[in-house]
Amino acid sequence: MRPVRVAWTFLRLGAINELQYRLNFFVAAFQSLLAVAVALVVLRLVYSHTTELNGWSEPELMCVLGIQILLGGVIRAAIQPNMERIVDEVRDGKLDHALTKPEDSQLLVSVREFRIWRTVDVISGGAVLGVGLARLEASVGAGEALSFAGLLLVGGVLIYCFWLVLATGAFWIVHMWFLAELFEGVYATGRWPIGIYPGWLRYSLTWLIPIGFAITVPAEAVTSRLEWTTPLLALAFAAALFLVTRWFWRFGLRRYSGASA
Amino acid sequence: MSAVPLARQHPVRAMVDFYVTAMRTQVQTQFQYRAAAYMYLVGMVAEPVIYLVVWTTIAKQQGGEVQGITVGQFAAYYIVWTLVRNMNIVFTPYGWEWRIREGQFSAALLRPLHPIHYDIAEFAGGKLIWVVLYLPIAAGLTLIFDPDLSVTPLEVCVFFVAIWGAYLIRTMLLWLLGMVTFWTTRGSAIFETYIMAELLLSGRLVPLKLMPEWTQSVADFLPFQWAFYFPIQTLVGDLPAGELLGGLGMQVLWIAVGSFLVWICFRASVSKYSAVGN
C-alpha cells in the first residue's frame, strides 16, 4: 500500500499547488472546448463525404475520439509532466534529489507532478464519448462497460510505459527537446481506429507504440467489436511491457552521473 | 598610434553578411543535433500521414476520388504539404512566452538590429538542414503512397519562391501573436485559437476545395492559405501561369501587411517589456 500512499500524497500536493492559480482553469477549459469543437468539425467534414470509414460509423468514431481526448487528459495531467521533468533533471543533474530519497526511484519520478487543470480533458472527452454512445444504435451492457474500464486502465499503463522508455532515453541523448512534439504527433494517430492505417503502420501503432491497444481496443469494447482474446492479449502485453520498462529504467539509471549537483 | 576605425560597410552588404553568418551558424548547430531534428520530423510527419490515410480511405470507398481529387493526388498534396510545413515552422508564441518570462529578450533588445532579423535568419538556416533531412522521408512516403505528381519548370521555380514567401508570412503572423506575451504570460488560449483557425482555413487539414463553400470565402480574406494551400498548389494544382504569379503577388501583399503590423506593434509592445525572470 505504501506506493499508493506516496502517489496520493504527491497528487494532493500537486493539486493544492495548482489550485492557487484559478485563472488557469478557465484557460484550460477554453482550450479543451476549442480542441473538442475542432475535432468534431473534422469528424463532420469527413462524414459529409462518406457514411462510414472503414466500417466505423460517425457515432462510433465519436467514441474513439472521446476516448482519445479522455486518455489524453490523463496523460497531460499525470504522465507527461513527470516524464518531461525526468528529461530536464537528467540534463541539469538534478535527478539526484529523487534518487537519494528512501523510496523506489521509478515510483518517485513517476508521481512527482500532477496538473489538475488538465483533467478538464477527461471531462470533455467523457462528454464526447457519452454523446457517441447515446447515438449508437446498440446499447452498451454492463459487461462491455466493465471491460471498457479495465481496458482503458491497461491503456493508461501502456502509455505510461511508452513515455517512461522515451524519457529514459535522456540518459543517452541529453538533447531531447523534441519529445513532447514527437509524442503529440504519434498520439494524434489514435483519433482514428488503427484499422485504417496501412499494415506496417498498424503493427507499429500496436506493438511499438501501443496507441492501438490504448485507444482502439477500449473503443472496440463499447462498439461490440471486441474479440475475447484481445483483452487477454492487452493484459499480457501491458504486464510484459511494464517489466521491460522497469528493467530499462534501472539499466539507464546506471549511466546517470549528476552533471551539476 | 591611434586605432584605425573599421571601414563602414554599405548597409545592404552588412545585412547580407549578417544573414549569411547567422544562417551558417544555424546550419552547423542544427547539424550537430541531427538525431533530435529527425525525431522532431517524425512527430511532424505523423500529422499529414493521418490526413492522407483518412482521405485515401474515403476516396477508395467512393470509387477512387473525393470531389475530383484522386488517391494519387491526395498523396501528392500531403507529401508536398510536409515540405511546405517544414518551411513554415517558425519561432512559436510559446517560445515567446519563454523568452519574455526568462528575460531572454533583454539581450536581443540591446543588439543593433531589429530582433526579428535574428529569428528570420536563424530559422532560415535551420530550414536548410531540415529540408535535407526530410528528403529521405519524402522518398519513403513517395514509395509507400505512390503520389500522382507532374510538374513543369515554371511550377518548380514558383514553388521555390512561394515556400520562402510562406515562411515570411508565417513569421510575421506568429511574431504578431508572440508579442501578446509582452502584456500577459498566459497567452496560450489566444495561440490555440489562432492554430485552430489556421488548421481549418489554410488547407492544412484538407485541400480547401473540400471545405464548405462559405469557409473558402472566409479563407479568401485571410492570410492563412498563402502560407499553406498556395505553395502546395503551385506544385500539385496545375495552376495557369497567371494564377501562379498572382499568388506570389498575394504573398508579397501579406508579407508587406504583416511587416507593417509587426513594426507598429513592436514599437507599442516593447515599452511594456519587463522581464519576469533574470
Side-chain angles (χ1 to χ4, degrees):
Chain A
M1 273 341 266
R2 197 179 151 84
V4 179
R5 243 189 12 248
V6 172
W8 177 244
T9 307
F10 273 106
L11 193 132
R12 267 184 41 222
L13 253 173
I16 291 168
N17 207 5
E18 282 242 309
L19 283 167
Q20 295 176 86
Y21 307 99
R22 279 174 216 148
L23 186 66
N24 286 1
F25 164 73
F26 294 101
V27 175
F30 175 77
Q31 284 178 330
S32 185
L33 283 178
L34 196 68
V36 167
V38 171
L40 290 177
V41 167
V42 173
L43 208 58
R44 194 75 280 281
L45 186 69
V46 165
Y47 280 94
S48 69
H49 293 282
T50 184
T51 49
E52 50 115 20
L53 189 70
N54 206 30
W56 293 71
S57 67
E58 190 173 1
E60 287 173 332
L61 258 191
M62 262 183 101
C63 296
V64 177
L65 178 65
I67 295 167
Q68 198 256 5
I69 295 172
L70 187 154
L71 196 60
V74 176
I75 293 166
R76 277 188 282 273
I79 299 176
Q80 193 162 334
N82 281 301
M83 300 302 136
E84 289 183 334
R85 188 166 159 187
I86 295 174
V87 175
D88 289 344
E89 291 193 348
V90 170
R91 191 186 52 230
D92 297 339
K94 289 181 188 160
L95 196 66
D96 310 37
H97 299 305
L99 300 181
T100 47
K101 292 204 167 64
E103 194 55 69
D104 182 75
S105 65
Q106 187 190 339
L107 171 70
L108 262 189
V109 298
S110 307
V111 298
R112 290 180 298 173
E113 296 276 338
F114 180 63
R115 307 278 160 82
I116 194 166
W117 298 136
R118 296 190 186 169
T119 53
V120 290
D121 282 340
V122 176
I123 299 164
S124 50
V128 173
L129 174 63
V131 174
L133 287 177
R135 288 177 55 195
L136 282 180
E137 280 165 22
S139 61
V140 179
E144 285 168 325
L146 212 63
S147 55
F148 164 75
L151 285 168
L152 201 60
L153 194 70
V154 169
V157 172
L158 284 167
I159 297 281
Y160 159 75
C161 290
F162 175 66
W163 245 118
L164 187 59
V165 168
L166 282 184
T168 305
F171 291 118
W172 288 270
I173 308 167
V174 180
H175 204 61
M176 298 264 272
W177 53 269
F178 54 84
L179 265 192
E181 273 87 357
L182 178 65
F183 182 78
E184 286 289 327
V186 173
Y187 188 67
T189 54
R191 196 153 279 195
W192 309 91
I194 58 159
I196 70 166
Y197 295 107
W200 61 275
L201 194 54
R202 197 165 57 237
Y203 287 116
S204 309
L205 290 174
T206 307
W207 302 107
L208 208 57
I209 308 160
I211 302 286
F213 273 124
I215 302 168
T216 307
V217 170
E220 284 177 349
V222 288
T223 52
S224 316
R225 292 158 193 270
L226 202 62
E227 288 172 30
W228 69 272
T229 47
T230 314
L232 295 179
L233 197 62
L235 202 63
F237 183 47
L241 190 61
F242 189 82
L243 289 176
V244 170
T245 307
R246 190 157 177 75
W247 168 82
F248 190 57
W249 167 254
R250 290 185 169 175
F251 179 66
L253 213 51
R254 273 187 246 146
R255 273 188 62 93
Y256 176 71
S257 56
S260 68
Chain B
M1 195 176 132
S2 59
V4 182
L6 281 171
R8 225 181 142 70
Q9 270 189 330
H10 190 277
V12 175
R13 195 162 160 211
M15 196 61 124
V16 171
D17 260 2
F18 160 75
Y19 266 87
V20 169
T21 310
M23 283 170 76
R24 217 167 41 203
T25 315
Q26 246 337 280
V27 166
Q28 282 162 358
T29 312
Q30 290 291 329
F31 191 67
Q32 239 181 331
Y33 296 112
R34 50 196 179 275
Y38 242 110
M39 288 293 133
Y40 180 77
L41 277 179
V42 169
M44 195 201 79
V45 166
E47 186 185 343
V49 167
I50 296 169
Y51 301 150
L52 174 55
V53 168
V54 169
W55 289 103
T56 305
T57 309
I58 299 172
K60 281 180 182 160
Q61 282 174 195
Q62 311 272 318
E65 60 175 61
V66 183
Q67 278 190 6
I69 305 179
T70 63
V71 174
Q73 285 168 338
F74 272 119
Y77 186 86
Y78 285 112
I79 291 172
V80 177
W81 181 110
T82 316
L83 183 54
V84 172
R85 175 78 186 122
N86 246 323
M87 287 299 296
N88 73 21
I89 289 177
V90 296
F91 196 79
T92 69
Y94 291 103
W96 269 90
E97 215 170 64
W98 163 81
R99 72 177 171 193
I100 300 269
R101 197 181 53 230
E102 305 275 324
Q104 299 285 340
F105 211 58
S106 309
L109 288 174
L110 290 173
R111 289 171 174 169
L113 279 178
H114 193 294
I116 198 168
H117 289 296
Y118 294 91
D119 283 357
I120 294 179
E122 286 180 6
F123 270 79
K127 303 289 171 209
L128 302 178
I129 290 296
W130 288 12
V131 169
V132 170
L133 291 179
Y134 169 65
L135 291 178
I137 298 181
L141 292 175
T142 305
L143 281 176
I144 295 164
F145 292 106
D146 194 18
D148 176 8
L149 183 68
S150 61
V151 290
T152 64
L154 176 69
E155 284 173 350
V156 174
C157 293
V158 173
F159 176 74
F160 185 75
V161 179
I163 49 177
W164 288 103
Y167 170 59
L168 287 177
I169 292 175
R170 214 155 173 276
T171 301
M172 298 305 163
L173 292 177
L174 291 194
W175 244 70
L176 282 170
L177 210 55
M179 281 191 276
V180 168
T181 42
F182 278 113
W183 276 277
T184 170
T185 46
R186 284 203 190 96
S188 54
I190 303 171
F191 309 154
E192 293 295 317
T193 311
Y194 168 90
I195 297 292
M196 297 303 169
E198 186 190 58
L199 183 71
L200 298 174
L201 297 167
S202 68
R204 175 172 176 168
L205 181 68
V206 281
L208 278 178
K209 203 173 141 184
L210 294 185
M211 296 296 280
E213 262 180 42
W214 65 269
T215 319
Q216 296 179 43
S217 313
V218 173
D220 283 342
F221 290 96
L222 295 167
F224 305 128
Q225 63 168 305
W226 302 106
F228 257 107
Y229 192 54
F230 170 67
I232 302 172
Q233 284 295 89
T234 56
L235 274 197
V236 304
D238 288 328
L239 301 178
E243 267 186 58
L244 289 175
L245 297 177
L248 289 182
M250 285 303 288
Q251 283 195 320
V252 171
L253 178 76
W254 279 112
I255 293 168
V257 171
S259 313
F260 179 68
L261 291 176
V262 164
W263 181 63
I264 300 263
C265 293
F266 187 70
R267 283 163 63 112
S269 307
V270 85
S271 60
K272 291 285 298 180
Y273 176 65
S274 64
V276 181
N278 252 7

